[in-house]
Each structure stands twice: as C-alpha cells, then as structure tokens.
Amino acid sequence: MSKLKSSGQQTADAPTPEDAFHEAAALEDHPSAPRGSKADGPVLSADGTPLKRSLNRALRMQKLRALMLIAPLLIFVLVTFIAPIADMLFRSVENQIVSNTLPRTTQALAGWEAEGADSAPPEAAYEALYVDLFLAAEAKEHTRLGTRLNYEETGLSSLFRSSGRDMDDIGEDRIDALEDANEAWEEEGFWYTLMTGGEGAAGNTALLDEQRDRLEALTGDSYAADIGFVPGQAISELLPRTARAYAAFALYTVVEDEDIVAEEEPWERVKIALTQDLRDPATVQALADYDGPGAEELRAAADLSGGFEEIDFKQTFLEIDEDWGNVDNWQTIKMYSPPFTSGYFLNAVDMEKTPDGPALRDEDERIYGLLFNRTLFMSLVITGCCIMLGYPVAWLLANLPMRTANILMILVLLPFWTSLLVRTSAWKVMLQQQGVINDTLVWLGLVDDASRLIMINNQFGTIVAMTHILLPFMILPMYSVMQTIPPSYVRAARSLGATNWTSFWRVYFPQSVPGIGAGSILVFILSIGYYITPEIVGGTTGTFISNRIAYHISSSLNWGLAAALGSILLAVVLILYWAYDKIVGIDNVKLG
Amino acid sequence: MTIAIIEPKPTPFVAGVTAIAGAFAGLLVGTAQGSSLIGLVAGAVIAAAMAYVFLDYFRQERTARWATVIVFTIAAFLLGGPAGAIVGVLFGLFFGWFIFWLGEGRHRAKLPPYTTGLQVFYHYGFRVICGLVFFFLITPIIVVMPLSFNAENFFTFTPEMLALDPEGYSLKHYRDFFTNDDWQQALWNSVSIAPLATLLAVSFGTLAAIGLSSEHVPFRRPIMAILISPMIVPLIISAAGMYFFYSRLGLQGTYWGVVLAHAALGIPFVIITVTATLVGFDRSLTRAAANLGANPVTTFRRVQMPLILPGVISGGLFAFITSFDEVVVVLFVGSAGQKTLPWQMFTGLREQISPTILAVATILVTISILLLTTVELLRRRSERLRGMTPG
C-alpha cells in the first residue's frame, strides 16, 4: 500500500473522502497495480459500484451538505441586507414618476425640441397636460411630481400645486351650457347607463384594463378590485375620450373613495371629454346610427357642442400660471421623462443636466464635492492619528510580558466594548465650552475664563472623538501582527551594529507594515461612513457625507439623491473592502 | 535571563531629575495659584531638596514616603481645599516613590546592563507616551461616571462636587432613568429587540459557520464576502437601503423590521467568531463519534457543540451588543414605537435635555465591563479546551 499512498494527495489531517478519491484515481491509472486476485477492471466498493464513482458521490454529498447548512443564512442575508442595498442602487437611477404621472404629456413632448426661448411646446402637449394633470390632481399625486421636479428646477413644485387646484375650472362655461340644455348631464344614473351602453351590452374590458394600469402606475396602489362597471363596447368606440375618462373616474371612485360608480356624478374632465368628442364630425355622423341608451341626449348635445369654441389649452394654462409658457420648465419635464435618469448621480457630483449634456453647477451651488473631499480628508486625518497613537501602544502590548499586556489590553478593550453613544456623550462632556477639559485648563490658569477653547461642533471635535472611538480598531490588528514578529531580529540587527533607529526602521517597521495596513483600511472604512459622532460633535463644519445622506432621507425627502450619494460612498467602501480582502483576507478578521 | 545590576545612583543626578519633575508640578500648582514663575522655581527647589534629604540624611524609604504624602496633602489642602488635597496625595505618592526609585537605581532593573543613560531615558519616555495614549483611551469613560451623580443639571463638575461636598452629589439622574416613562419604554424596547435579533443571528450564523468550515465548500470566498458585508458597508447606507426596501414590504416602523435588520447586522460577528473557533476544531472527533454509532444530530449536539460553544456565546454577545448599541438603522427602520435606548440617548444628546444620559451611560459602561469579562473568560476557556495556553 505504500506505493498507493505516495501517489495520493498527502494531507496532515485524518483521511477524507477526497484522499481516497485520489487514491482510487491512482489505482485506475495503474490497473496492473498489486490489488488481490482480480487484476483487470475498475476497483469496486463494497456495494459493487466502482469506487471512483461512489467516492465522487460522497464528495458531492459533502459539498451539498455544506451548502445546505449555509443556505438559510445566505438567503436571510440576501433578503434582509443585500436586497435593500440593491433597492437603494436602483432608486438612485429610477425616475418613473414623470412618465407615470404625465404619460400623455411625455408622449406629446417626444417629438418636440426646444430651440431658443420662444419655441413653446405644441398645443397637443398642453391638451395632454390637462388630461394628465386633471387625473393626477384628483389622485393628489401632482404635488409629489412637483416636489420631484423641483429638485431639478426650482419653482416647479408651486407651479404644479397651484395648477392642480385650477384643473376643475377649465371649460366651466361648456359644462354649464351642457347642463343648462339638459339636466340629464348632471344625473349620476344617466351617465352610468350611457357609459355601460345599457343592460346586456358588450363590454370593453381592454379599455378598463388600460385605465387600471394607468392608475396603478400613477398611485402605486392596486386597482385589481371589481368595480361594478365595464364601459360599453359601442359607446367606447363612439366616444373614445369620454369612455377613457369615465373609466378612470369609475376606477378611482370605487377603489380610492370607496363609493359606488352609479351614485357619483362624473368629474368635469368627463364632460369636457364628451364635448371634445362631440365636436368631431365623424362622431356626429356615427351618432346618427347610434341607438343605445341616451342616444337622444347625445344627439342634442352634439348639436350644442358644434357651437362651442375650441378650448385653447395653451392660453388656459398660461392664464393659470404664466410659468407654463417658460420653455425651461417644459424642458425639465422632457429631460426627466425617461424611466431612468442619471440626474441624481449628476446632482451628487455637483453637476446638472442641461440640454447640451451634463455640466458643472455654479461655483456657489457645489456642496457635495466639498463634502466628499471633507469626508475623505477627515477620514485620512483620523486614520493618521490612529496610526500615530496606536503604533506605540500596540508595540508596547506586543513586547510586554503576557500578564502585564493582558491587563493593559483591558484598557483598549473597554472602550471597544463601550456603547458608541456613551463614548460620544463622554466627548461632548469633555469638549464643551463648559466642559471638563476647559474647566481643567481654566482651573490650572492655562486658559482665561473668558476665552475658553472652542473644541466642539467643529472639525477638531469630530477628529478627536472619532480617533478615540476608532483607536481600538487600529491597535488590535497591529497588535496581532506585532505579536508574530520575533524579537531576535531586532536584537540581531543591534548586535550587527545598527543603531536604535536603524534597527527599528530597517528591521522592525517593515515587518509591522501589514498590521498598519490592516488597521488603516479598517479605520478608514469605518470612519468614512460614520454618522452618529459627526452628527453630535461635528456642528456644521465637522459633518460627513453620511450626515447629508441622512438629511436627504429624513428631512428633504429627496430619496433619489440620498441613494445616489450612498451609492458613491458604497463604491468607495467596496473598493477598500476589496483591498482589505486582498491584503488581510476577510477570513482573518479577528475580534477581541 | 537578564543580569540585573541595581546600584544606587549619585545624589546630584537624582536631585537634578527630581527637580525637573518638581518644576513641572510646581508650574501647574503655581499657575493655578496665580504665579507660574514662583511655582516653577519653588517646585524645583523643594523637589531637589527632598532628594538630598532623603538620599543623604534620611534613607528610610517607607517612613520618608509616608511623611511626603502627609506633608503634601496638608499643604495642598491649605492651598486648594479638598480637590487640591487629592492632587496633593497624588503628588506626594509620586515624589515619595520617584526619589527612591531613581536613587536606588531600580529603574534599570529590567533593562540590559549595557543600556546607556539616553536609552534609559528613551525607554521611559516611550512608556510615558504610551501611558498618555491609555489615558486618552480611558479618561472619557471614567469621567462620565462621577458626573452622573451630579446634583445639578449640568454636564460638568460643579464647585460642590470638586469640594467633595455630599450636597453636590445625588442619585436623581438614576431616579429619573428608572421612573421616566420615555427611558423605561426605550429600555424595554432595547431589551425586547436585542435578544431576538441575537437568537436569529446566532442560530443561522452557527449553522452557516459549520458549513463554511467544511473542506469542500464551493464559492467560499464570495459567500464569505456577502456574509461579512453587513459589517463593512457603512451603517448609513445599510440604514438607507433598509428604509427604502422595508417600506416596500411594509416592515418599516415595525418591531420585526428592526429585529431582522439587527439580526443582519449581527451575523458577521457570529460568523467570524464561530469560524475562528472551528479552525481549531479537530474533525476526527466527529468521525470518531460517527464511527461509534452517533447520528449527525447527536454528533453535533454532544461532540461539536460543547467544543465550539465558547465561540458561539462570544459571537452571540457581539451580536447582542451590536443590536443593543445600534442607533443608525433603528433610527430609519424603526418608528417611535421602537425607540431604543441608544436612540433615546441620541435624541437627548442632540437636543441636550438632561444629564440622565450620563446615568444611562454609566449603567451601560458597567454592562460592557461585565460583557468584556465574560468574553475574555470564554476566550480563555476556549483556548484551554483546544489545548492552547491561554494568553
């Protein structure tokens, strides 16, 4: 068997199926190997299958079992942690709100190119805007869109909010004229029968589903419920706009207001759509043959509608707010109509979208570059401070006798185990103008009572507090590396005539560099994303990019920008993480 | 084996070094009393004189030390009241010891005999620097403790406290913590979230760590990278992502949302500690158990688990402290109903309402000392079980 053993993989540990596998492979390569009486054929295991195959299966089983053990946690982490991160990355480019809220407008704008300040969008865009904005205002989604677009062009928020209020008043005289002519146009029941096309009429579910999708996209709610209304096939071919408007009204009434369609008077928009439909000569012609419910009233209304003046939607919108004539506003809507945008990322690096492509913002509007620079700079300073303070301590701990080192280690581990907020509040207590350090300095007479040092709510405070908080993360990796450096090397260097400095710098220091590297990356990664400490002791000049992210999530509600800023920060951290993995290996992280 | 040569040092050398230390101490006292220069000179002269007297005329260490302490304390009490007396005791202890330490040559006891004077100086200079770093590490935590007994609503020492007047101290902040509904609710929330998050993290994490430590795991590195990532990704990014994603799922602002988030954050710690324990685990033990007829469950329960238990417990403690100490994620994922202790402290610090925070801080420091001791004991036990000498 000794020959077999040498051809198999040598392992110091107990034999594993894999060892046996190698041995079996070796056996098959040398069929003439001394192996009992049966010289030829594969080696069989106890149950008669070839040994190679049965070992293969054992190995596969082992892999599978390991994966089964890992699977629950992996799924857990993927769902609770990785999916949220992915969601955030998605949010940083997602921009469906414009096309969801103003679908027809964005379609109408598709062919429009702004050339100069007076190239206003086509009349069709204004009409589409009326259709979209009326529905959005009913669903109260127009302010959300206004807020979103306001990030890009100031003033759009108030423009949308004020215009949304006036949507009901557009074409008032027409509706009045219609209702004066026949009171049936004010009756809920009449409208309902008209639009269903009477009992037993063929329904147009396609049109209903189309409106259902439209409302779902607009509000984000589910409209799957049965609403007790299906537009009639004949009537929706005859009066397409009215049918669409009425279907949207019916869906909204049932799902959001939880009312019954047949008992509610339709929106103004439905009546306007009717008069628009009836102005079409083709419709009037087709109407002559129509015999569904309400045909008489429709014919009368058609006669009346012929006399209406065309609604000038552009003029109407300009009367509501003259900013609707501003080409810049329209350009912003057009620019942000695609479902994905680089706008948030451009914002996050102090740029903005212009018709001529991305451009840097004005000097005084650039804040994120400054914040990123400050975050990087302060993290570097903190890392530097940690190296300077941590190196001597780690050296001392690694070179003292075990017993003493363990006692001193407690002084490092206690801050490490103490709550972050305790340490931050301790620094607040220490650094305040009426705090312990200032009091001590005043008591010693080193500082005048009137001119106490300002050490908090600025960069100094953040750097001191974070150096203290992150110092254990520097000392621990350095210590574990320095422990492995044999002291005899330095002694050898000394006995060969090196001075104190040379023996340290040329012999000891190079061996301790991995510890410095590991500690530095760890401290840098941790400090670059810090939020709590800068928030409490940082004031305005000592805050990090994370504070801005938190501000955008909880105060300004510009989630897309927060996500974009977060994605950039995440990219930086992941690069460092990768470097850390290369240098130290994530399996080698030690705690305590 | 070092040859220790302890021989008394000449008095002028000792006097000179003591004078420098005395000048420094005198400078501090003098500045506090209004005249730096007089303090500096007087300190140097007194210290040098003491060195001469103790080394040349009264070389009885024990008596001399006590005499120094008593004289210094009385003098300092007269100058600066009770707080001054504490400084006096410290100075007295220091000088009483320092003169004889130098004079008897004990400072060279642990150094090789060939070290030059300059090297001795560097050696102790280095230790002083390290001492200052340790001071920097530990002072903020120590300072909080006496302040939490402040009778006033200040974040600093009052004159009464410095005068050691019992009037200046009280337990009112502790009383506030234990009676105030906000704090009690926060404490209760913390206590009900952390254990469940720990349980989730430990049970999933231990299983996965066992899987990861077997020899034939495909894709070990990417899996490890994913499992460790909650520790590496900045908390604010995790918080933002979880906020967005959990609101989609309707978990935002719920107890379970916070528990899941905290469990995810605690998992890397469990993975790291348990895999570290499993590195030293002898696999032939499981094979031996299987050979003796135990099924995998029994093997795990009776053989593997007891051996890796210290690692599991310390991983659990890490996960617990992560959840117990976590603010950023709960700030976003939780709602007012899940306000935890750190969250309450955070709002308190931002709006600066009351020093009850310091009382809470002291309680938390006590808890962390207990946890630290437990983890340290477990680590030693684990190393002993694995046949290593505990460090």
Side-chain angles (χ1 to χ4, degrees):
Chain A
M1 285 304 276
S2 62
K3 188 185 164 207
L4 290 178
K5 197 75 190 152
S6 64
S7 65
Q9 194 188 30
Q10 294 284 333
T11 46
D13 212 349
T16 66
E18 196 171 17
D19 297 345
F21 177 72
H22 285 294
E23 284 173 22
L27 268 176
E28 286 188 12
D29 291 344
H30 310 280
S32 57
R35 180 81 177 69
S37 52
K38 291 174 197 163
D40 291 329
V43 183
L44 301 181
S45 67
D47 58 354
T49 50
L51 182 59
K52 194 175 174 183
R53 197 193 303 158
S54 85
L55 284 173
N56 240 336
R57 200 175 56 212
L59 193 66
R60 219 168 33 239
M61 284 293 291
Q62 217 174 27
K63 279 185 183 171
L64 202 66
R65 201 167 58 208
L67 280 183
M68 294 271 283
L69 285 171
I70 301 171
L73 182 72
L74 197 61
I75 293 167
F76 184 82
V77 171
L78 284 177
V79 171
T80 58
F81 189 78
I82 303 292
I85 301 283
D87 185 35
M88 188 196 72
L89 294 178
F90 174 67
R91 245 174 223 275
S92 65
V93 291
E94 183 228 17
N95 186 46
Q96 278 150 352
I97 179 165
V98 180
S99 52
N100 278 346
T101 318
L102 305 175
R104 300 182 142 249
T105 317
T106 49
Q107 261 170 26
L109 283 177
W112 171 70
E113 282 298 335
E115 282 155 10
D118 39 37
S119 62
E123 171 71 18
Y126 283 100
E127 189 178 347
L129 181 67
Y130 166 68
V131 175
D132 288 336
L133 203 53
F134 188 95
L135 189 61
E138 285 297 333
K140 296 177 189 65
E141 295 287 335
H142 63 299
T143 50
R144 221 161 62 89
L145 177 68
T147 316
R148 162 71 187 96
L149 288 175
N150 205 49
Y151 300 141
E152 318 298 342
E153 180 83 38
T154 340
L156 277 176
S157 176
S158 60
L159 179 62
F160 272 94
R161 190 173 307 122
S162 65
S163 309
R165 276 198 298 268
D166 295 335
M167 282 301 112
D168 293 353
D169 304 338
I170 293 182
E172 254 179 332
D173 353 332
R174 277 193 184 197
I175 298 169
D176 288 346
L178 190 70
E179 288 170 355
D180 287 346
N182 190 343
E183 280 187 5
W185 296 115
E186 279 177 81
E187 282 165 24
E188 308 83 15
F190 170 72
W191 269 103
Y192 182 76
T193 0
L194 172 72
M195 296 319 291
T196 47
E199 298 258 333
N204 186 354
T205 43
L207 184 131
L208 189 66
D209 287 342
E210 178 201 308
Q211 290 305 314
R212 198 168 262 165
D213 292 345
R214 163 104 172 73
L215 275 165
E216 275 177 2
L218 176 66
T219 58
D221 299 333
S222 166
Y223 278 82
D226 175 31
I227 60 162
F229 165 76
V230 177
Q233 183 69 40
I235 193 80
S236 55
E237 273 163 22
L238 185 69
L239 307 168
R241 296 184 225 200
T242 321
R244 271 200 299 272
Y246 193 83
F249 154 77
L251 282 162
Y252 192 83
T253 309
V254 175
V255 177
E256 301 287 339
D257 298 341
E258 296 177 358
D259 288 324
I260 295 165
V261 190
E263 293 173 6
E264 293 299 313
E265 193 186 344
W267 293 332
E268 290 82 351
R269 154 91 188 102
V270 181
K271 296 172 189 173
I272 296 288
L274 177 70
T275 57
Q276 298 274 86
D277 273 333
L278 292 178
R279 283 176 54 78
D280 190 344
T283 313
V284 178
Q285 233 163 31
L287 195 56
D289 303 333
Y290 184 68
D291 57 355
E296 274 311 307
E297 286 85 346
L298 279 175
R299 277 189 274 275
D303 291 343
L304 192 66
S305 297
F308 287 148
E309 260 182 59
E310 184 93 37
I311 300 184
D312 185 350
F313 283 104
K314 181 175 179 183
Q315 199 50 46
T316 321
F317 270 102
L318 285 180
E319 272 162 27
I320 292 173
D321 198 316
E322 61 185 10
D323 278 348
W324 283 116
N326 189 344
V327 180
D328 286 349
N329 290 341
W330 284 98
Q331 224 155 22
T332 311
I333 296 178
K334 180 175 162 62
M335 211 141 45
Y336 287 92
S337 49
F340 296 99
T341 178
S342 57
Y344 292 121
F345 273 104
L346 290 177
N347 261 338
V349 292
D350 284 336
M351 296 172 86
E352 61 187 341
K353 266 189 159 176
T354 62
D356 319 320
L360 268 179
R361 281 178 184 276
D362 298 338
E363 198 80 54
D364 52 338
E365 286 179 3
R366 294 181 201 164
I367 51 166
Y368 299 110
L370 180 80
L371 268 175
F372 272 114
N373 279 339
R374 187 200 285 162
T375 308
L376 289 179
F377 168 74
M378 285 177 64
S379 301
L380 278 177
V381 171
I382 290 162
T383 314
C385 289
C386 282
I387 295 176
M388 294 216 311
L389 297 182
Y391 197 86
V393 169
W395 188 89
L396 187 75
L397 287 174
N399 286 284
L400 278 178
M402 211 46 158
R403 190 164 289 278
T404 333
N406 268 334
I407 293 169
L408 286 180
M409 199 58 163
I410 293 174
L411 297 183
V412 178
L413 287 178
L414 183 61
F416 181 74
W417 273 96
T418 308
S419 163
L420 169 70
L421 274 158
V422 171
R423 285 180 283 168
T424 310
S425 47
W427 278 110
K428 191 157 184 163
V429 168
M430 299 279 285
L431 295 174
Q432 276 183 98
Q433 280 209 285
Q434 301 297 325
V436 175
I437 292 182
N438 263 315
D439 278 355
T440 316
L441 291 178
V442 168
W443 184 61
L444 288 175
L446 295 176
V447 165
D448 192 47
D449 199 6
S451 58
R452 284 167 175 259
L453 304 177
I454 301 168
M455 295 183 289
I456 203 167
N457 295 335
N458 53 22
Q459 298 203 351
F460 180 82
T462 310
I463 290 174
V464 170
M466 283 185 56
T467 303
H468 174 255
I469 288 167
L470 295 175
L471 193 51
F473 291 96
M474 182 65 90
I475 294 178
L476 294 176
M478 276 186 178
Y479 170 69
S480 63
V481 168
M482 286 181 181
Q483 255 188 328
T484 62
I485 303 177
S488 49
Y489 288 4
V490 173
R491 261 186 252 140
R494 296 292 298 282
S495 77
L496 290 170
T499 60
N500 270 344
W501 172 249
T502 318
S503 62
F504 167 73
W505 184 247
R506 301 276 303 276
V507 177
Y508 193 86
F509 184 75
Q511 298 184 74
S512 66
V513 166
I516 301 179
S520 304
I521 296 184
L522 192 60
V523 167
F524 193 78
I525 288 181
L526 288 172
S527 67
I528 204 172
Y530 241 60
Y531 167 62
I532 294 295
T533 311
E535 181 75 21
I536 290 175
V537 299
T540 49
T541 57
T543 49
F544 281 11
I545 195 73
S546 0
N547 302 82
R548 199 71 195 169
I549 297 177
Y551 165 78
H552 280 308
I553 297 174
S554 51
S555 304
S556 84
L557 302 181
N558 190 350
W559 289 2
L561 183 55
L565 289 170
S567 306
I568 295 177
L569 184 60
L570 182 66
V572 175
V573 169
L574 285 184
I575 293 171
L576 290 168
Y577 182 29
W578 174 81
Y580 187 85
D581 189 25
K582 283 279 163 230
I583 297 173
V584 196
I586 24 172
D587 323 26
N588 292 338
V589 188
K590 285 204 184 69
L591 297 165
Chain B
M1 186 64 196
T2 42
I3 307 155
I5 301 175
I6 301 180
E7 56 183 17
K9 294 280 152 190
T11 315
F13 163 74
V14 180
V17 178
T18 322
I20 296 173
F24 187 69
L27 179 70
L28 288 181
V29 178
T31 329
Q33 299 300 319
S35 167
S36 316
L37 195 63
I38 297 177
L40 186 99
V41 176
V45 170
I46 293 173
M50 274 168 56
Y52 272 109
V53 171
F54 286 159
L55 294 182
D56 288 355
Y57 304 102
F58 190 73
R59 212 176 170 114
Q60 283 159 344
E61 198 176 334
R62 197 171 288 269
T63 333
R65 272 165 101 164
W66 281 114
T68 319
V69 172
I70 292 166
V71 172
F72 268 59
T73 313
I74 294 170
F77 183 76
L78 294 177
L79 277 175
I86 295 179
V87 179
V89 172
L90 294 177
F91 276 1
L93 281 174
F94 174 75
F95 282 103
W97 162 81
F98 189 63
I99 291 170
F100 286 98
W101 184 66
L102 276 179
E104 299 289 344
R106 281 202 298 264
H107 60 289
R108 274 175 169 272
K110 284 181 183 162
L111 294 175
Y114 52 79
T115 37
T116 61
L118 198 61
Q119 283 172 341
V120 176
F121 176 72
Y122 282 151
H123 177 80
Y124 285 106
F126 179 75
R127 297 212 159 181
V128 170
I129 293 174
C130 290
L132 289 178
V133 177
F134 282 120
F135 181 75
F136 170 72
L137 271 172
I138 214 76
T139 320
I141 298 174
I142 301 294
V143 161
V144 168
M145 297 187 176
L147 275 181
S148 67
F149 296 99
N150 199 336
E152 304 287 333
N153 282 338
F154 295 141
F155 266 142
T156 186
F157 289 99
T158 56
E160 293 83 34
M161 291 183 87
L162 291 174
L164 297 181
D165 185 350
E167 295 279 296
Y169 294 85
S170 85
L171 287 172
K172 72 176 208 181
H173 303 309
Y174 289 87
R175 216 161 25 238
D176 184 39
F177 172 64
F178 285 109
T179 51
N180 188 322
D181 282 344
D182 279 352
W183 284 104
Q184 284 306 299
Q185 185 60 40
L187 176 66
W188 171 243
N189 281 334
S190 276
V191 168
S192 60
I193 289 170
L196 208 61
T198 311
L199 188 72
L200 278 177
V202 168
S203 44
F204 284 137
T206 309
L207 279 186
I210 290 171
L212 276 172
S213 67
S214 80
E215 292 143 85
H216 313 284
V217 194
F219 316 114
R220 180 195 256 126
R221 277 180 89 85
I223 290 179
M224 199 71 176
I226 289 176
L227 296 185
I228 303 288
S229 60
M231 194 172 82
I232 300 292
V233 173
L235 278 174
I236 187 75
I237 295 179
S238 320
M242 286 171 172
Y243 177 65
F244 298 145
F245 188 68
Y246 287 9
S247 0
R248 283 185 206 263
L249 301 184
L251 277 171
Q252 200 270 331
T254 63
Y255 170 75
W256 283 103
V258 179
V259 167
L260 289 180
H262 277 182
L265 293 180
I267 278 166
F269 297 98
V270 180
I271 292 280
I272 288 174
T273 47
V274 179
T275 34
T277 328
L278 281 166
V279 166
F281 180 75
D282 187 352
R283 297 198 155 266
S284 35
L285 291 177
T286 48
R287 287 195 204 105
N291 206 7
L292 292 168
N295 60 26
V297 176
T298 317
T299 316
F300 174 73
R301 208 164 44 83
R302 304 279 301 273
V303 179
Q304 201 165 12
M305 197 59 196
L307 282 169
I308 63 168
L309 194 63
V312 175
I313 294 179
S314 64
L317 285 177
F318 269 107
F320 182 83
I321 202 93
T322 309
S323 164
F324 200 72
D325 193 20
E326 209 291 321
V327 217
V328 188
V329 168
V330 77
L331 214 54
F332 287 97
V333 175
S335 63
Q338 285 83 44
K339 203 169 206 176
T340 58
L341 214 46
W343 183 350
Q344 180 74 18
M345 285 179 82
F346 180 65
T347 23
L349 278 174
R350 260 212 304 213
E351 291 147 23
Q352 204 162 31
I353 33 173
S354 80
T356 309
I357 292 166
L358 299 184
V360 183
T362 310
I363 296 173
L364 288 183
V365 171
T366 320
I367 294 177
S368 49
I369 291 176
L370 291 178
L371 284 181
L372 172 63
T373 323
T374 322
V375 171
E376 188 61 20
L377 291 177
L378 283 171
R379 190 177 64 86
R380 287 172 186 229
R381 186 183 138 78
S382 153
E383 290 189 350
R384 216 171 32 243
L385 280 177
R386 284 153 53 183
M388 300 155 86
T389 38

